[in-house]
Amino acid sequence: MHSEPQVGGALARADAVAKRLVRLEVNGAGYELAIEPRRSLLEVLRADLGLTGTKEVCLLGACGACTVLVAGRPVLACLTLAVACEGKPIVTIEGVADGHALHPLQRAFVEKGAVQCGFCTPGMILAGKALLDRNPHPTAAEAAEAISGNLCRCTGYAQIVEAIVSAPSLAADTPGQPLPGTLDSGPYLMPELGE
């Protein structure tokens, strides 16, 4: 006798993955989400939270376009499980500026011509910000190393490195006040704008 395949059998159960309640802190805001444990941080940021500044490109961890900061460290959101980020502050490109006031690194990218097509820019800025948060006066070699996991097909990297190295001078006008959008209060400081 020939039997028909079962509908809702083992195959259907294998496709249904139980969701897990996860609390994420993204750009200073708290979110409680029911997500499948296998979903990447990239998927959750873009699809569930609508934060599309984190770019979806290779999905292999090869390009750096999806770089975000998790607990102050640059990570590739396409390779990071969202559930692994529970309890850790996450910063995306949307959380770098202070309202309408650009972060000095963002201003440096504009001033130095480091923004070309813009696709790699969010990941480059976050990789550069992580470096500046731990080393406020990097050398060009340190800046190049910090972005070594991020690919750009437009600029040749010189303008990007120059922007990272020059960002502290943009913020040095008035030292002593926290820099808008930073995770710490390092020496590259400026007063909060608009307050």
Side-chain angles (χ1 to χ4, degrees):
M1 269 186 115
H2 184 265
S3 63
E4 294 293 318
Q6 291 182 336
V7 175
L11 192 57
R13 281 192 302 277
D15 287 341
V17 176
K19 291 185 177 184
R20 178 175 159 196
L21 190 61
V22 177
R23 290 178 182 85
L24 298 177
E25 179 190 329
V26 182
N27 301 327
Y31 299 92
E32 191 170 277
L33 305 163
I35 60 172
E36 295 174 354
R38 65 183 175 186
R39 291 185 67 208
S40 71
L41 180 58
L42 176 64
E43 290 176 280
V44 171
L45 290 172
R46 290 181 61 83
D48 297 357
L49 301 182
L51 298 171
T52 58
T54 305
K55 301 303 178 199
E56 181 179 336
V57 181
C58 72
L59 301 177
L60 299 170
C63 72
C66 67
T67 300
V68 298
L69 303 183
V70 176
R73 298 182 57 152
V75 300
L76 300 172
C78 72
L79 298 182
T80 304
L81 293 175
V83 296
C85 298
E86 189 166 26
K88 301 172 186 169
I90 301 163
V91 177
T92 69
I93 192 65
E94 291 90 347
V96 174
D98 183 18
H100 295 294
L102 292 179
H103 185 284
L105 182 55
Q106 291 172 305
R107 289 193 345 246
F109 264 65
V110 172
E111 290 181 14
K112 301 298 180 183
V115 177
Q116 298 291 309
C117 80
F119 213 75
C120 72
T121 304
M124 292 285 189
I125 286 175
L126 287 161
K129 184 179 180 322
L131 171 65
L132 291 170
D133 284 348
R134 70 177 185 278
N135 177 4
H137 297 286
T139 65
E142 291 167 328
E145 183 178 344
I147 62 165
S148 64
N150 298 69
L151 299 179
C152 175
R153 296 180 184 258
C154 302
T155 67
Y157 302 98
Q159 298 98 317
I160 296 169
V161 169
E162 186 179 354
I164 294 168
V165 172
S166 71
S169 68
L170 291 176
D173 296 336
T174 312
Q177 297 295 319
L179 187 68
T182 59
L183 296 177
D184 65 21
S185 56
Y188 61 105
L189 306 174
M190 64 183 267
E192 294 287 331
L193 301 174
E195 293 187 23

